[in-house]
């Protein structure tokens, strides 16, 4: 690489490997103290990396979190949600790094991280490894159709149905174990790419720990011996709507399969990390390992990662290796995942074509989380706003339609004044969390004394929780968040309002009958 390009990419030409462990909850990693040996590779990695206990995801599911990682914006700012499920009008981290001379690649088997959501913008190479539709189709006609549909109030509900159809196909093909076989291919492609690159920004999302759980047999034998993955409940909506019960023994089996999936990921990361070391690329590479969100296994009577923003979903593992970041365990600092955008810009010496580098949000900065002059609305007894992370959960349109379908099939009526129809937001510090909901009462918890969030203290006289409520309201104003109380029109209403030509085009594409 010539000097001109090096000057664009930063003095040291730092490489970046960004790993997202999709749907991995922090307390199931042995690197975070879990008593099952799920992550020996990450345990070793923790000796070289900063390990954060209080990392906060900006949302509890993939699309808005990745949009935040790629833009440094909160969900209400980048507006990639289930109401409008694609990123538009924002310059991505990959676009900035590519413009600065970096080779950029994104490899994932997550259906949200594809061209039709625009999350792959700026990546020179990308592959979704999605078994339902080839990347070429997602990059071409379907991507254009998707954005056209989401730009139309009339067609947006049909776009929701398209995602539901894709989820049904995924559920069908994955029912016998076919949905969790892509990680070795992702790792292979990643190693090939970085070996062919000068300076690289490589982003990978590893999907094994996402439902349904069908780990390779060798890992089943270690973590869930004798368990048949096709016999346990693998559909969170069936449980959440009340159509399916799960007893303690079945939860144990489910968690065993989940742990097996995590160990599979960890072993694949060992292949990747070992390759970087053997090819003398490890020392010059910033490595970020984080989960986009976690998973619930019966806590709060919920399964999966929908309809709530409790800590197993939003307090995520986060580990970062870089020479300027002290390799130690940090149980005090709040790290918001939006900060990783700024940390990568800082590490690479790239200013950012979209949101500019904010040194107070870079993990490399001595001023990290020092937001000058911005203190809580209360007496200031609990420190600056840097001690608070924020979470948003827009209405879960697709999951809600799936939940309604499972409930209807079981003859169950869902209450609209429930968490299923709520939009939510939270302010979380190491000591506490305040959750605002649109359809159910607010909740508040002392995380320091009640990490399981079992004792709701909303409406009490706890000063810290009152400050967090005020912080959340300030945050909502700051990001100009909209808090609708009513659901959008149903899919049926959307279809009824379509003209015949539009219906015919969708019939030709197979999206409606």
């Amino acid at each position: 690489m010539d000097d001109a390009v090096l000057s664009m990419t930063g003095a040291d030409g730092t490489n970046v490997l960004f790993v997202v462990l999709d749907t991995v909850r922090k307390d199931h990693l042995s690197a975070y103290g879990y008593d099952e040996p799920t992550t020996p590779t990450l345990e070793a990695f923790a000796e070289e990396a900063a390990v954060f206990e209080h990392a906060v995801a900006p949302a509890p599911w993939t699309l808005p979190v990745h949009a935040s990682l790629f833009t440094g914006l909160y969900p209400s700012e980048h507006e990639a949600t289930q109401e409008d499920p694609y990123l538009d009008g924002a310059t991505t981290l990959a676009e900035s790094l590519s413009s600065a001379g970096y080779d950029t690649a994104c490899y994932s088997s997550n259906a949200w991280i594809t061209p039709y959501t625009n999350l792959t913008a700026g990546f020179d190479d990308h592959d979704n490894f999605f078994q339902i539709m080839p990347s070429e189709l997602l990059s071409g006609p379907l991507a254009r159709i998707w954005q056209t549909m989401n730009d139309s109030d009339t067609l947006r509900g049909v776009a929701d149905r398209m995602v539901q159809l894709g989820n049904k196909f995924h559920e069908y093909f994955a029912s016998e174990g076919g949905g969790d076989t892509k990680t070795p291919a992702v790792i292979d492609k990643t190693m090939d790419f970085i070996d062919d690159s000068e300076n690289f920004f490589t982003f990978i999302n590893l999907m094994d720990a996402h439902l349904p759980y069908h780990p390779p047999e060798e890992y089943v034998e270690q973590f869930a011996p004798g368990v048949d993955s096709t016999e346990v409940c693998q559909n969170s909506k069936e449980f959440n709507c009340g159509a399916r019960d799960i007893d303690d023994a079945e939860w144990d089996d489910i968690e065993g399969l989940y742990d097996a999936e995590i160990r599979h990921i960890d072993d694949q990361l060992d292949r990747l990390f070992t390759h970087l070391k053997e090819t003398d690329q490890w020392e010059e590479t910033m490595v970020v390992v984080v989960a986009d969100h976690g998973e619930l296994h019966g806590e709060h009577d919920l399964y999966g990662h929908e309809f709530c923003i409790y800590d197993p979903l939003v307090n995520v593992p986060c580990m970062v290796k870089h020479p300027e970041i002290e390799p130690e365990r940090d149980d005090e600092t709040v790290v918001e995942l939006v900060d990783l955008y700024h940390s990568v810009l800082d590490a690479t010496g790239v200013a950012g074509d979209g949101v500019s580098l904010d040194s107070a949000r870079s993990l490399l900065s001595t001023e990290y989380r020092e937001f000058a002059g911005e203190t809580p609305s209360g007496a200031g007894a609990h420190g600056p706003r840097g001690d608070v992370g924020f979470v948003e959960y827009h209405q879960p349109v697709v999951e809600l339609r799936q939940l309604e379908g499972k409930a209807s099939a079981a003859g169950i009526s869902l209450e609209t004044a429930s968490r299923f129809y709520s939009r939510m937001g939270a302010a979380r510090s190491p000591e506490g969390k305040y959750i605002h909901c649109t359809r159910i009462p607010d909740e508040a918890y002392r995380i320091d004394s009640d990490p399981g969030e079992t004792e709701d203290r909303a409406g009490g006289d706890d000063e810290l929780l009152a400050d967090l409520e005020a912080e959340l309201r300030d945050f909502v104003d700051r990001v100009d968040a909209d808090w609708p109380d009513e659901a959008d029109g149903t899919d049926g209403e959307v279809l009824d309002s379509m003209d015949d030509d539009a219906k015919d085009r969708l019939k030709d594409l197979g999206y409606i009958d």
Side-chain angles (χ1 to χ4, degrees):
M1 179 174 286
D2 62 34
D3 292 340
V5 175
L6 274 175
S7 69
M8 295 171 65
T9 59
D12 59 359
T14 301
N15 297 319
V16 180
L17 172 64
F18 203 122
V19 179
V20 169
L21 312 175
D22 204 295
T23 324
V24 170
R25 53 188 285 172
K26 188 181 74 174
D27 62 359
H28 274 251
L29 302 184
S30 56
Y32 276 88
Y34 187 46
D35 58 6
E36 293 291 337
T38 52
T39 53
T41 299
L42 292 182
E43 287 180 58
F45 178 64
E47 298 299 318
E48 304 180 63
V51 180
F52 298 101
E53 290 285 350
H54 294 290
V56 180
W61 68 287
T62 294
L63 175 65
V65 173
H66 282 73
S68 291
L69 291 173
F70 292 164
T71 65
L73 300 170
Y74 290 101
S76 283
E77 295 174 317
H78 60 62
E79 299 183 323
T81 69
Q82 283 196 359
E83 292 98 326
D84 290 286
Y86 62 93
L87 181 64
D88 193 22
T91 302
T92 66
L93 183 59
E95 287 175 313
S96 294
L97 292 174
S98 180
S99 295
Y102 271 79
D103 298 323
T104 58
C106 175
Y107 303 125
S108 168
S109 57
N110 191 307
W112 289 109
I113 309 171
T114 42
Y116 64 73
T117 61
N118 207 35
L119 287 182
T120 57
F123 288 107
D124 304 321
D125 190 37
H126 57 82
D127 196 325
N128 54 66
F129 293 90
F130 192 43
Q131 65 262 44
I132 308 305
M133 296 178 187
S135 180
E136 292 77 11
L137 175 60
L138 293 172
S139 300
L142 186 55
R144 291 189 293 273
I145 293 168
W146 181 267
Q147 183 154 351
T148 298
M149 292 174 71
N150 276 285
D151 283 340
S152 165
D153 291 336
T154 302
L155 298 179
R156 190 170 297 140
V158 182
D160 296 339
R161 292 191 60 174
M162 289 165 58
V163 174
Q164 293 176 46
L165 181 63
N167 286 338
K168 288 180 180 179
F169 274 120
H170 177 76
E171 181 179 340
Y172 172 77
F173 283 106
S175 63
E176 297 300 324
D180 292 327
T181 59
K182 305 303 180 184
T183 292
V186 170
I187 298 300
D188 289 342
K189 192 100 177 229
T190 301
M191 292 190 294
D192 288 342
F193 180 83
I194 61 179
D195 287 348
D196 291 337
S197 301
E198 292 289 337
N199 283 99
F200 63 80
F201 169 58
T202 306
F203 181 91
I204 61 175
N205 174 291
L206 305 179
M207 276 284 287
D208 301 63
H210 194 288
L211 279 168
Y213 311 139
H214 297 294
E217 188 59 35
E218 64 180 290
Y219 301 100
V220 175
E221 287 303 311
Q222 181 177 359
F223 292 94
V227 176
D228 183 345
S229 64
T230 66
E231 295 297 322
V232 302
C233 181
Q234 297 270 19
N235 190 299
S236 60
K237 282 71 175 181
E238 290 181 347
F239 176 82
N240 290 335
C241 77
R244 173 77 149 80
D245 290 328
I246 301 177
D247 61 24
D248 290 344
E250 188 173 6
W251 280 124
D252 288 343
D253 290 345
I254 289 169
E255 292 197 345
L257 294 170
Y258 181 73
D259 290 345
E261 296 281 30
I262 294 173
R263 179 56 184 267
H264 182 216
I265 295 172
D266 189 78
D267 282 351
Q268 292 300 311
L269 284 179
D270 182 50
R271 284 207 303 131
L272 178 56
F273 291 177
T274 298
H275 180 79
L276 284 168
K277 293 170 184 176
E278 291 178 345
T279 55
D280 297 324
Q281 299 178 90
W282 181 254
E283 294 299 329
E284 62 194 34
T285 300
M286 177 185 191
V287 180
V288 179
V289 179
V290 67
D292 55 347
H293 57 80
E295 188 85 322
L296 287 171
H297 291 138
E299 299 92 342
H300 304 278
D301 295 320
L302 291 168
Y303 186 12
H305 48 274
E306 306 110 15
F307 313 121
C308 70
I309 46 179
Y310 295 117
D311 257 19
L313 302 191
V314 299
N315 175 210
V316 295
C318 180
M319 311 168 74
V320 182
K321 179 187 81 72
H322 185 276
E324 295 180 32
I325 301 176
E326 191 69 25
E328 61 185 5
R329 291 186 178 269
D330 187 328
D331 60 3
E332 297 180 352
T333 305
V334 169
V335 174
E336 293 187 275
L337 296 198
V338 294
D339 299 345
L340 296 176
Y341 167 92
H342 299 277
S343 301
V344 171
L345 289 180
D346 200 359
T348 57
V350 174
D353 296 330
V355 177
S356 299
L357 169 64
D358 181 352
S359 61
R361 286 193 175 274
S362 169
L363 287 164
L364 281 65
S365 173
T366 57
E367 301 175 351
Y368 181 57
R369 304 295 295 181
E370 293 183 4
F371 302 113
E374 299 178 0
T375 57
S377 300
H382 305 295
R385 204 188 71 227
D387 292 340
V388 181
F390 298 98
V391 185
E392 295 185 82
Y393 190 21
H394 290 62
Q395 190 181 70
V397 177
V398 175
E399 282 81 6
L400 181 56
R401 298 297 175 255
Q402 293 172 324
L403 186 80
E404 289 172 333
K406 294 295 183 183
S408 177
I412 296 170
S413 297
L414 299 176
E415 292 290 336
T416 56
S418 69
R419 67 172 55 256
F420 303 131
Y421 292 86
S422 288
R423 181 170 175 178
M424 304 177 185
R428 186 196 186 279
S429 73
E431 298 83 18
K433 180 197 284 184
Y434 192 92
I435 302 172
H436 171 61
C437 306
T438 57
R439 301 270 184 117
I440 59 175
D442 290 358
E443 302 173 43
Y445 301 96
R446 287 297 304 231
I447 300 296
D448 49 5
S449 60
D450 179 26
E453 297 165 290
T454 61
E455 183 182 351
D456 182 3
R457 298 191 180 190
D461 57 1
D462 190 301
E463 182 181 353
L464 181 142
L465 296 177
D467 280 350
L468 287 174
E469 179 183 9
E471 289 292 348
L472 180 59
R473 295 186 184 281
D474 289 346
F475 169 79
V476 169
D477 290 340
R478 191 164 59 251
V479 300
D480 196 24
D482 182 24
W483 292 86
D485 283 331
E486 298 299 326
D488 293 333
T490 65
D491 294 346
E493 291 171 346
V494 170
L495 291 171
D496 287 343
S497 65
M498 291 170 58
D499 62 35
D500 290 339
D501 288 342
K503 289 180 180 178
D504 288 342
R505 286 193 295 273
L506 291 172
K507 287 178 182 178
D508 290 340
L509 291 168
Y511 299 136
I512 61 175
D513 296 328

PDB file of all heavy atoms in Angstrom, residues 454-476:
ATOM      1  N   THR A 454     -36.410  -8.659  39.414  1.00  0.00           N
ATOM      2  CA  THR A 454     -37.597  -9.346  39.941  1.00  0.00           C
ATOM      3  C   THR A 454     -38.486  -8.444  40.788  1.00  0.00           C
ATOM      4  O   THR A 454     -39.671  -8.733  40.949  1.00  0.00           O
ATOM      5  CB  THR A 454     -37.166 -10.554  40.791  1.00  0.00           C
ATOM      6  OG1 THR A 454     -36.374 -10.100  41.901  1.00  0.00           O
ATOM      7  CG2 THR A 454     -36.371 -11.551  39.962  1.00  0.00           C
ATOM      8  N   GLU A 455     -37.941  -7.355  41.324  1.00  0.00           N
ATOM      9  CA  GLU A 455     -38.709  -6.462  42.199  1.00  0.00           C
ATOM     10  C   GLU A 455     -38.906  -5.113  41.527  1.00  0.00           C
ATOM     11  O   GLU A 455     -37.991  -4.293  41.466  1.00  0.00           O
ATOM     12  CB  GLU A 455     -37.993  -6.282  43.542  1.00  0.00           C
ATOM     13  CG  GLU A 455     -38.775  -5.427  44.526  1.00  0.00           C
ATOM     14  CD  GLU A 455     -38.038  -5.224  45.834  1.00  0.00           C
ATOM     15  OE1 GLU A 455     -36.995  -5.880  46.055  1.00  0.00           O
ATOM     16  OE2 GLU A 455     -38.501  -4.374  46.643  1.00  0.00           O
ATOM     17  N   ASP A 456     -40.097  -4.883  41.012  1.00  0.00           N
ATOM     18  CA  ASP A 456     -40.413  -3.643  40.319  1.00  0.00           C
ATOM     19  C   ASP A 456     -40.581  -2.520  41.336  1.00  0.00           C
ATOM     20  O   ASP A 456     -41.447  -2.586  42.208  1.00  0.00           O
ATOM     21  CB  ASP A 456     -41.690  -3.835  39.504  1.00  0.00           C
ATOM     22  CG  ASP A 456     -42.074  -2.604  38.694  1.00  0.00           C
ATOM     23  OD1 ASP A 456     -41.314  -1.612  38.720  1.00  0.00           O
ATOM     24  OD2 ASP A 456     -43.122  -2.642  38.037  1.00  0.00           O
ATOM     25  N   ARG A 457     -39.759  -1.471  41.217  1.00  0.00           N
ATOM     26  CA  ARG A 457     -39.802  -0.360  42.162  1.00  0.00           C
ATOM     27  C   ARG A 457     -40.331   0.920  41.533  1.00  0.00           C
ATOM     28  O   ARG A 457     -40.154   2.015  42.096  1.00  0.00           O
ATOM     29  CB  ARG A 457     -38.403  -0.098  42.721  1.00  0.00           C
ATOM     30  CG  ARG A 457     -37.823  -1.275  43.492  1.00  0.00           C
ATOM     31  CD  ARG A 457     -36.569  -0.855  44.232  1.00  0.00           C
ATOM     32  NE  ARG A 457     -35.969  -1.933  44.975  1.00  0.00           N
ATOM     33  CZ  ARG A 457     -34.976  -1.798  45.848  1.00  0.00           C
ATOM     34  NH1 ARG A 457     -34.479  -0.584  46.084  1.00  0.00           N
ATOM     35  NH2 ARG A 457     -34.467  -2.830  46.470  1.00  0.00           N
ATOM     36  N   ALA A 458     -40.970   0.824  40.378  1.00  0.00           N
ATOM     37  CA  ALA A 458     -41.533   2.020  39.749  1.00  0.00           C
ATOM     38  C   ALA A 458     -42.571   2.651  40.672  1.00  0.00           C
ATOM     39  O   ALA A 458     -43.368   1.958  41.307  1.00  0.00           O
ATOM     40  CB  ALA A 458     -42.167   1.657  38.418  1.00  0.00           C
ATOM     41  N   GLY A 459     -42.544   3.975  40.737  1.00  0.00           N
ATOM     42  CA  GLY A 459     -43.487   4.688  41.589  1.00  0.00           C
ATOM     43  C   GLY A 459     -43.036   4.817  43.020  1.00  0.00           C
ATOM     44  O   GLY A 459     -43.737   5.421  43.843  1.00  0.00           O
ATOM     45  N   GLY A 460     -41.876   4.276  43.344  1.00  0.00           N
ATOM     46  CA  GLY A 460     -41.362   4.381  44.698  1.00  0.00           C
ATOM     47  C   GLY A 460     -40.575   5.655  44.905  1.00  0.00           C
ATOM     48  O   GLY A 460     -40.625   6.586  44.099  1.00  0.00           O
ATOM     49  N   ASP A 461     -39.824   5.693  46.008  1.00  0.00           N
ATOM     50  CA  ASP A 461     -39.101   6.927  46.346  1.00  0.00           C
ATOM     51  C   ASP A 461     -37.588   6.781  46.174  1.00  0.00           C
ATOM     52  O   ASP A 461     -36.816   7.508  46.798  1.00  0.00           O
ATOM     53  CB  ASP A 461     -39.428   7.345  47.783  1.00  0.00           C
ATOM     54  CG  ASP A 461     -39.103   6.243  48.798  1.00  0.00           C
ATOM     55  OD1 ASP A 461     -38.612   5.164  48.381  1.00  0.00           O
ATOM     56  OD2 ASP A 461     -39.331   6.459  49.999  1.00  0.00           O
ATOM     57  N   ASP A 462     -37.164   5.832  45.320  1.00  0.00           N
ATOM     58  CA  ASP A 462     -35.741   5.640  45.075  1.00  0.00           C
ATOM     59  C   ASP A 462     -35.214   6.778  44.199  1.00  0.00           C
ATOM     60  O   ASP A 462     -35.639   6.951  43.056  1.00  0.00           O
ATOM     61  CB  ASP A 462     -35.510   4.284  44.393  1.00  0.00           C
ATOM     62  CG  ASP A 462     -34.048   3.910  44.314  1.00  0.00           C
ATOM     63  OD1 ASP A 462     -33.284   4.682  43.701  1.00  0.00           O
ATOM     64  OD2 ASP A 462     -33.666   2.851  44.841  1.00  0.00           O
ATOM     65  N   GLU A 463     -34.292   7.578  44.731  1.00  0.00           N
ATOM     66  CA  GLU A 463     -33.804   8.762  44.014  1.00  0.00           C
ATOM     67  C   GLU A 463     -33.063   8.375  42.741  1.00  0.00           C
ATOM     68  O   GLU A 463     -33.195   9.044  41.708  1.00  0.00           O
ATOM     69  CB  GLU A 463     -32.888   9.581  44.925  1.00  0.00           C
ATOM     70  CG  GLU A 463     -32.383  10.864  44.272  1.00  0.00           C
ATOM     71  CD  GLU A 463     -31.454  11.653  45.187  1.00  0.00           C
ATOM     72  OE1 GLU A 463     -31.321  11.273  46.372  1.00  0.00           O
ATOM     73  OE2 GLU A 463     -30.862  12.642  44.701  1.00  0.00           O
ATOM     74  N   LEU A 464     -32.263   7.304  42.786  1.00  0.00           N
ATOM     75  CA  LEU A 464     -31.519   6.892  41.603  1.00  0.00           C
ATOM     76  C   LEU A 464     -32.460   6.514  40.468  1.00  0.00           C
ATOM     77  O   LEU A 464     -32.260   6.897  39.319  1.00  0.00           O
ATOM     78  CB  LEU A 464     -30.595   5.714  41.946  1.00  0.00           C
ATOM     79  CG  LEU A 464     -29.726   5.185  40.807  1.00  0.00           C
ATOM     80  CD1 LEU A 464     -28.351   4.792  41.314  1.00  0.00           C
ATOM     81  CD2 LEU A 464     -30.374   3.982  40.120  1.00  0.00           C
ATOM     82  N   LEU A 465     -33.508   5.762  40.780  1.00  0.00           N
ATOM     83  CA  LEU A 465     -34.460   5.376  39.745  1.00  0.00           C
ATOM     84  C   LEU A 465     -35.236   6.577  39.225  1.00  0.00           C
ATOM     85  O   LEU A 465     -35.574   6.644  38.035  1.00  0.00           O
ATOM     86  CB  LEU A 465     -35.408   4.307  40.286  1.00  0.00           C
ATOM     87  CG  LEU A 465     -34.738   2.973  40.673  1.00  0.00           C
ATOM     88  CD1 LEU A 465     -35.763   2.007  41.257  1.00  0.00           C
ATOM     89  CD2 LEU A 465     -34.045   2.347  39.474  1.00  0.00           C
ATOM     90  N   ALA A 466     -35.515   7.535  40.090  1.00  0.00           N
ATOM     91  CA  ALA A 466     -36.177   8.759  39.641  1.00  0.00           C
ATOM     92  C   ALA A 466     -35.275   9.530  38.673  1.00  0.00           C
ATOM     93  O   ALA A 466     -35.747  10.084  37.666  1.00  0.00           O
ATOM     94  CB  ALA A 466     -36.542   9.628  40.844  1.00  0.00           C
ATOM     95  N   ASP A 467     -33.982   9.565  38.971  1.00  0.00           N
ATOM     96  CA  ASP A 467     -33.043  10.215  38.062  1.00  0.00           C
ATOM     97  C   ASP A 467     -33.003   9.499  36.716  1.00  0.00           C
ATOM     98  O   ASP A 467     -32.934  10.143  35.654  1.00  0.00           O
ATOM     99  CB  ASP A 467     -31.639  10.241  38.672  1.00  0.00           C
ATOM    100  CG  ASP A 467     -31.462  11.356  39.692  1.00  0.00           C
ATOM    101  OD1 ASP A 467     -32.358  12.219  39.778  1.00  0.00           O
ATOM    102  OD2 ASP A 467     -30.436  11.355  40.395  1.00  0.00           O
ATOM    103  N   LEU A 468     -33.045   8.177  36.742  1.00  0.00           N
ATOM    104  CA  LEU A 468     -33.016   7.424  35.491  1.00  0.00           C
ATOM    105  C   LEU A 468     -34.284   7.666  34.673  1.00  0.00           C
ATOM    106  O   LEU A 468     -34.230   7.733  33.443  1.00  0.00           O
ATOM    107  CB  LEU A 468     -32.840   5.928  35.773  1.00  0.00           C
ATOM    108  CG  LEU A 468     -31.444   5.502  36.241  1.00  0.00           C
ATOM    109  CD1 LEU A 468     -31.433   4.020  36.617  1.00  0.00           C
ATOM    110  CD2 LEU A 468     -30.402   5.779  35.161  1.00  0.00           C
ATOM    111  N   GLU A 469     -35.421   7.812  35.351  1.00  0.00           N
ATOM    112  CA  GLU A 469     -36.651   8.155  34.627  1.00  0.00           C
ATOM    113  C   GLU A 469     -36.485   9.506  33.937  1.00  0.00           C
ATOM    114  O   GLU A 469     -36.853   9.668  32.757  1.00  0.00           O
ATOM    115  CB  GLU A 469     -37.844   8.194  35.573  1.00  0.00           C
ATOM    116  CG  GLU A 469     -39.136   8.577  34.864  1.00  0.00           C
ATOM    117  CD  GLU A 469     -40.330   8.706  35.805  1.00  0.00           C
ATOM    118  OE1 GLU A 469     -40.134   8.662  37.042  1.00  0.00           O
ATOM    119  OE2 GLU A 469     -41.456   8.875  35.289  1.00  0.00           O
ATOM    120  N   ALA A 470     -35.920  10.474  34.646  1.00  0.00           N
ATOM    121  CA  ALA A 470     -35.704  11.801  34.056  1.00  0.00           C
ATOM    122  C   ALA A 470     -34.706  11.714  32.899  1.00  0.00           C
ATOM    123  O   ALA A 470     -34.879  12.379  31.865  1.00  0.00           O
ATOM    124  CB  ALA A 470     -35.196  12.765  35.127  1.00  0.00           C
ATOM    125  N   GLU A 471     -33.666  10.902  33.065  1.00  0.00           N
ATOM    126  CA  GLU A 471     -32.693  10.728  31.984  1.00  0.00           C
ATOM    127  C   GLU A 471     -33.356  10.150  30.736  1.00  0.00           C
ATOM    128  O   GLU A 471     -33.057  10.559  29.609  1.00  0.00           O
ATOM    129  CB  GLU A 471     -31.562   9.802  32.440  1.00  0.00           C
ATOM    130  CG  GLU A 471     -30.624  10.402  33.450  1.00  0.00           C
ATOM    131  CD  GLU A 471     -29.786  11.517  32.869  1.00  0.00           C
ATOM    132  OE1 GLU A 471     -29.757  11.688  31.633  1.00  0.00           O
ATOM    133  OE2 GLU A 471     -29.150  12.242  33.660  1.00  0.00           O
ATOM    134  N   LEU A 472     -34.251   9.195  30.928  1.00  0.00           N
ATOM    135  CA  LEU A 472     -34.929   8.577  29.790  1.00  0.00           C
ATOM    136  C   LEU A 472     -35.800   9.599  29.073  1.00  0.00           C
ATOM    137  O   LEU A 472     -35.817   9.652  27.830  1.00  0.00           O
ATOM    138  CB  LEU A 472     -35.760   7.382  30.254  1.00  0.00           C
ATOM    139  CG  LEU A 472     -36.536   6.640  29.162  1.00  0.00           C
ATOM    140  CD1 LEU A 472     -35.598   6.111  28.079  1.00  0.00           C
ATOM    141  CD2 LEU A 472     -37.344   5.492  29.769  1.00  0.00           C
ATOM    142  N   ARG A 473     -36.516  10.403  29.820  1.00  0.00           N
ATOM    143  CA  ARG A 473     -37.362  11.425  29.192  1.00  0.00           C
ATOM    144  C   ARG A 473     -36.508  12.443  28.433  1.00  0.00           C
ATOM    145  O   ARG A 473     -36.867  12.877  27.328  1.00  0.00           O
ATOM    146  CB  ARG A 473     -38.233  12.108  30.251  1.00  0.00           C
ATOM    147  CG  ARG A 473     -39.241  11.149  30.891  1.00  0.00           C
ATOM    148  CD  ARG A 473     -40.200  11.860  31.824  1.00  0.00           C
ATOM    149  NE  ARG A 473     -41.078  10.905  32.488  1.00  0.00           N
ATOM    150  CZ  ARG A 473     -42.146  10.353  31.916  1.00  0.00           C
ATOM    151  NH1 ARG A 473     -42.472  10.686  30.671  1.00  0.00           N
ATOM    152  NH2 ARG A 473     -42.905   9.485  32.574  1.00  0.00           N
ATOM    153  N   ASP A 474     -35.367  12.811  29.009  1.00  0.00           N
ATOM    154  CA  ASP A 474     -34.461  13.725  28.308  1.00  0.00           C
ATOM    155  C   ASP A 474     -33.935  13.084  27.027  1.00  0.00           C
ATOM    156  O   ASP A 474     -33.812  13.749  25.984  1.00  0.00           O
ATOM    157  CB  ASP A 474     -33.289  14.105  29.212  1.00  0.00           C
ATOM    158  CG  ASP A 474     -33.692  15.029  30.346  1.00  0.00           C
ATOM    159  OD1 ASP A 474     -34.812  15.583  30.293  1.00  0.00           O
ATOM    160  OD2 ASP A 474     -32.901  15.182  31.290  1.00  0.00           O
ATOM    161  N   PHE A 475     -33.612  11.805  27.096  1.00  0.00           N
ATOM    162  CA  PHE A 475     -33.111  11.089  25.924  1.00  0.00           C
ATOM    163  C   PHE A 475     -34.155  11.056  24.808  1.00  0.00           C
ATOM    164  O   PHE A 475     -33.847  11.300  23.638  1.00  0.00           O
ATOM    165  CB  PHE A 475     -32.724   9.661  26.317  1.00  0.00           C
ATOM    166  CG  PHE A 475     -32.450   8.759  25.157  1.00  0.00           C
ATOM    167  CD1 PHE A 475     -31.245   8.812  24.474  1.00  0.00           C
ATOM    168  CD2 PHE A 475     -33.409   7.839  24.720  1.00  0.00           C
ATOM    169  CE1 PHE A 475     -30.991   7.983  23.387  1.00  0.00           C
ATOM    170  CE2 PHE A 475     -33.167   7.007  23.647  1.00  0.00           C
ATOM    171  CZ  PHE A 475     -31.957   7.084  22.972  1.00  0.00           C
ATOM    172  N   VAL A 476     -35.396  10.772  25.174  1.00  0.00           N
ATOM    173  CA  VAL A 476     -36.475  10.733  24.186  1.00  0.00           C
ATOM    174  C   VAL A 476     -36.599  12.081  23.487  1.00  0.00           C
ATOM    175  O   VAL A 476     -36.748  12.151  22.259  1.00  0.00           O
ATOM    176  CB  VAL A 476     -37.804  10.316  24.850  1.00  0.00           C
ATOM    177  CG1 VAL A 476     -38.979  10.531  23.899  1.00  0.00           C
ATOM    178  CG2 VAL A 476     -37.745   8.862  25.293  1.00  0.00           C
TER     179      VAL A 476
END
